[in-house]
Amino acid sequence: MYTNNKYYSVSVHKYAKKHFIKSFSKKYKTWDATFIEIENMLSRINMFLLTSKIEKIHNCDIWYIAKCEFKIVWTSESPKKSWNRIIIFVDEEKIDVQILLLYTKTDVWSHNETAWWEQEIRNNHKEIAELFSWL
């Protein structure tokens, strides 16, 4: 049973807007509706952590990085099969979720998805990378 009524604030880093969201918004006419669904999901992240849509990857004190699955609204593909992913940084103290990366299969330049997004965080989100010893 979900008992945490906290709603998290959701923000998008400039890098994610410029390099990923911009291409999604051009490609899909339903992007605005999709992004509203993403914001709704992330604002209630503690509830969605109980599902398979969001998975904590790295924990450190009051912060964690998680990978989320999503689908474009009004499509028949499941979030998992759509291969659309979001990498987020969560600050439990500030009750804040930051979208670091939002991508699809064609954005990944490596055969190892995890290595790819970890490198993207090291290169483009240094302040967050410094919080985690694995980066």
Side-chain angles (χ1 to χ4, degrees):
M1 183 173 162
Y2 180 69
T3 59
N4 186 339
N5 293 333
K6 290 190 285 187
Y7 280 87
Y8 288 68
S9 63
V10 178
S11 61
V12 182
H13 271 262
K14 283 184 197 178
Y15 182 76
K17 282 182 187 175
K18 183 178 178 185
H19 294 278
F20 301 105
I21 293 177
K22 188 175 179 181
S23 65
F24 271 95
S25 65
K26 286 181 180 180
K27 186 176 180 179
Y28 298 103
K29 291 180 181 178
T30 60
W31 177 250
D32 289 340
T34 299
F35 195 73
I36 288 169
E37 290 299 315
I38 290 169
E39 285 181 311
N40 287 336
M41 175 180 67
L42 296 178
S43 71
R44 298 181 327 248
I45 191 164
N46 285 342
M47 182 177 75
F48 280 93
L49 281 168
L50 302 173
T51 72
S52 62
K53 286 186 180 180
I54 298 177
E55 175 189 3
K56 282 186 184 181
I57 305 293
H58 299 291
N59 288 297
C60 180
D61 299 326
I62 57 170
W63 309 290
Y64 64 88
I65 292 178
K67 182 168 76 170
C68 315
E69 300 173 340
F70 74 95
K71 74 177 208 118
I72 303 298
V73 296
W74 304 314
T75 62
S76 59
E77 277 187 317
S78 71
K80 188 169 205 69
K81 289 190 178 186
S82 73
W83 226 90
N84 295 321
R85 306 288 187 261
I86 308 168
I87 303 299
I88 58 171
F89 171 76
V90 179
D91 185 324
E92 290 289 351
E93 187 175 70
K94 293 180 181 176
I95 309 173
D96 181 57
V97 175
Q98 298 174 32
I99 297 174
L100 304 178
L101 305 170
L102 190 144
Y103 61 92
T104 190
K105 186 177 189 174
T106 57
D107 295 319
V108 178
W109 49 258
S110 171
H111 294 292
N112 183 327
E113 178 189 358
T114 302
W116 173 81
W117 65 255
E118 286 178 347
Q119 186 65 45
E120 289 288 313
I121 291 171
R122 277 192 291 276
N123 293 343
N124 302 291
H125 304 288
K126 290 177 176 44
E127 70 287 352
I128 292 171
E130 290 172 359
L131 298 173
F132 297 89
S133 61
W134 57 269
L135 296 172

